[in-house]
Amino acid sequence: MKHSITLFIDKAEEMIREVSDIANLSSDNISNFAHALELWLIKAEQLFKEYNHGEQALLAAVRPSVILAGCAGAIDTNDAITGRRKRRKALLAEYLKQSVDFFYRPYAREKEKVDEANDIVRQVVLVALQTGLLNNVSLTLPIKAEQLVEIQNLLYTDDELSKGINRTLAIIAYPDLLRLIDLNLTNVLSGIRYSR
């Protein structure tokens, strides 16, 4: 069974937005910066575990280094305290960069799939609207789940449109298909409503 790629993308984008807040902590207290990065890594590992992404192991490998760099005295030399702080901050900044790089790989792969599927669904929806295939469906916002299933079934009645739906289902799961149909219909209906 395929996982919902669109939900993964939503969660991943939310986590990507959190990175700037973590990076801003680098000028603040080192332990706060390390703790925020550690929590983010734990959350990222859980997300990757839920969606079966191998990069979970890469993130898990970074976390002990983050914890160590966040501890006072972890980089013990005879240098002045400010020198040690600078090195700790530099290490944590590097771990953040490395973690984001590891995180971005599966996000980019999945985003590419969703974008490809969305392009197909957009074309299918526009053709269905232009040909009048959806004329008998009451299209009001927000579109209800039952309406989405009815719309998807109607799209299967047209040979060309059903090929597009099947191509989409080869890329993403059924719930993602319904979500993309909803998104594209909503965009079109909103555009029609605002143009009046």
Side-chain angles (χ1 to χ4, degrees), residues 61-112:
V62 173
R63 194 159 39 98
S65 300
V66 168
I67 294 168
L68 186 62
C71 297
I75 306 167
D76 199 8
T77 65
N78 293 328
D79 294 345
I81 291 173
T82 56
R84 285 187 297 222
R85 281 191 196 128
K86 284 181 182 177
R87 277 194 306 283
R88 287 170 61 205
K89 282 183 181 183
L91 269 175
L92 287 168
E94 179 59 31
Y95 294 142
L96 175 61
K97 180 187 176 306
Q98 192 177 45
S99 300
V100 170
D101 288 345
F102 292 152
F103 188 87
Y104 195 77
R105 291 176 194 173
Y107 166 75
R109 283 192 310 261
E110 301 292 34
K111 180 82 168 104
E112 189 175 317

Side-chain angles (χ1 to χ4, degrees), residues 125-173:
V125 165
L126 290 174
V127 169
L129 288 169
Q130 289 170 352
T131 60
L133 185 65
L134 303 179
N135 283 350
N136 294 332
V137 179
S138 173
L139 294 174
T140 58
L141 296 178
I143 300 170
K144 296 181 175 104
E146 310 83 49
Q147 289 175 304
L148 288 172
V149 173
E150 179 186 357
I151 291 165
Q152 184 259 328
N153 289 335
L154 278 171
L155 296 175
Y156 266 118
T157 63
D158 182 282
D159 288 340
E160 287 304 310
L161 297 181
S162 67
K163 288 177 188 174
I165 295 298
N166 288 332
R167 275 189 25 222
T168 304
L169 287 172
I171 302 167
I172 59 174

Side-chain angles (χ1 to χ4, degrees), residues 7-55:
L7 288 178
F8 171 79
I9 294 297
D10 289 349
K11 293 174 185 178
E13 287 176 348
E14 182 181 315
M15 290 194 66
I16 290 169
R17 285 189 293 273
E18 294 172 8
V19 170
S20 61
D21 293 336
I22 295 168
N24 289 338
L25 291 173
S26 66
S27 61
D28 197 18
N29 183 306
I30 293 173
S31 61
N32 290 344
F33 179 30
H35 183 66
L37 179 53
E38 179 189 359
L39 292 176
W40 187 86
L41 283 167
I42 291 169
K43 191 173 168 184
E45 288 173 50
Q46 290 170 345
L47 179 65
F48 282 9
K49 181 178 181 182
E50 180 182 348
Y51 288 92
N52 298 322
H53 289 293
E55 287 83 351

